[in-house]
Amino acid sequence: RFWLQTQFISAELMEDQLLLLLESLERKIVSQQLKLVRGPFHVDAELLSFPHEEEQLLTMALVELSGVQLQEDGSAVPRDQPFEAMAALFVALYALNLLSG
């Protein structure tokens, strides 16, 4: 089962996203990002508040690479059928969150 999830993640996520996920893990913001991508295409604007602006920009870039443009007011605009890419991002964040404790 884990192997299937890993294959799904690697097939749907781009190399840029994998690098951003690694940086997110290092900055310890994966759990907040996971909360952000749980909802359909509307997010709580408070979840876009990070201690450092770089973390907010990193998160917005990560989500935008999955085909959803986040607005600072908490709304999200889907582009180009993002379901598979967002699902892969959710699975990756979920797995990283579990592994990071």
Side-chain angles (χ1 to χ4, degrees):
R1 186 179 201 183
F2 181 73
W3 181 83
L4 289 175
Q5 290 175 338
T6 305
Q7 294 303 314
F8 178 71
I9 291 168
S10 64
E12 292 297 328
L13 294 180
M14 297 180 286
E15 185 177 341
D16 292 344
Q17 286 174 297
L18 295 173
L19 293 172
L20 291 174
L21 283 169
L22 180 59
E23 188 172 344
S24 297
L25 189 60
E26 290 172 356
R27 291 178 177 265
K28 299 181 183 349
I29 58 173
V30 170
S31 63
Q32 188 171 352
Q33 290 173 330
L34 178 61
K35 291 175 189 172
L36 181 73
V37 300
R38 274 191 186 160
F41 297 109
H42 185 78
V43 297
D44 184 352
E46 289 181 14
L47 294 175
L48 284 175
S49 301
F50 289 87
H52 305 287
E53 183 179 359
E54 298 87 18
E55 293 169 348
Q56 179 177 344
L57 295 174
L58 172 97
T59 301
M60 291 177 79
L62 184 62
V63 173
E64 287 180 8
L65 284 171
S66 294
V68 175
Q69 184 174 357
L70 293 175
Q71 308 295 314
E72 290 189 24
D73 67 356
S75 62
V77 179
R79 301 174 311 198
D80 303 327
Q81 309 259 332
F83 176 76
E84 291 85 5
M86 284 300 291
L89 177 60
F90 175 80
V91 170
L93 288 168
Y94 183 82
L96 287 174
N97 193 50
L98 282 178
L99 293 173
S100 65

